Amino acid sequence: MNSTALIADDDEATLRLYRLLLEQAGMRVVTARNGLEALRLAVEHEPDLLVIDIRLPLVSGLEVIRQIRSHASLKHCAIMVVTAMATPENKTRSEQAGCDVFLVKPTPVLTFLSAVRECLVQEGPRRKQA
């Protein structure tokens, strides 16, 4: 895998775990601890995958997703929401904002990695709509 992932989460343990898993899968990884940083890094690095929590400081994860979806150079980016705020309303809002996959924390490692693979294959959710 020669892809770039951006992880946006304000929890250090989560950032470390996802970074480790994605780097072991061969991805280049960039991390953000708040929504503003996530937006800046997304524009700077044009990641293939965004793994994001919907509850972030400064700018919510949902707003980050909306802005990424409206940015021409980021339309290719697959977006995985991984959150502990697993309500039906949050799932619906995440999907409406433009996420491809919605996962609930804590997420089993194999489930996380399977979702990453799904997002990055050519026939993945976002690429089907393109």
Side-chain angles (χ1 to χ4, degrees), residues 28-114:
R28 187 172 78 85
V29 177
V30 181
T31 60
R33 286 163 184 78
N34 65 63
L36 282 178
E37 187 177 28
L39 288 168
R40 181 182 61 78
L41 291 172
V43 170
E44 183 179 330
H45 294 277
E46 296 185 2
D48 301 289
L49 174 67
L50 170 64
V51 178
I52 189 166
D53 191 354
I54 57 176
R55 189 172 177 185
L56 291 174
L58 304 179
V59 175
S60 78
L62 293 175
E63 184 56 29
V64 171
I65 294 168
R66 283 186 205 98
Q67 289 193 34
I68 285 175
R69 285 291 175 238
S70 70
H71 202 284
S73 69
L74 298 173
K75 292 217 183 267
H76 73 283
C77 183
I79 300 177
M80 281 178 44
V81 167
V82 187
T83 185
M85 298 173 54
T87 65
E89 296 81 18
N90 281 334
K91 183 175 192 235
T92 299
R93 286 197 298 251
S94 296
E95 290 169 348
Q96 289 171 342
C99 89
D100 298 301
V101 175
F102 184 91
L103 299 175
V104 179
K105 288 180 186 177
T107 304
V109 170
L110 292 177
T111 301
F112 178 82
L113 291 174
S114 176

Side-chain angles (χ1 to χ4, degrees), residues 1-5 27 46-50 69 73-80 98-101 115-130:
M1 219 180 277
N2 204 6
S3 303
T4 299
M27 297 187 78
E46 296 185 2
D48 301 289
L49 174 67
L50 170 64
R69 285 291 175 238
S73 69
L74 298 173
K75 292 217 183 267
H76 73 283
C77 183
I79 300 177
M80 281 178 44
C99 89
D100 298 301
V101 175
V116 168
R117 278 190 295 278
E118 176 187 333
C119 282
L120 293 177
V121 294
Q122 188 148 9
E123 291 81 37
R126 181 59 45 194
R127 287 160 182 83
K128 282 183 187 171
Q129 297 173 18

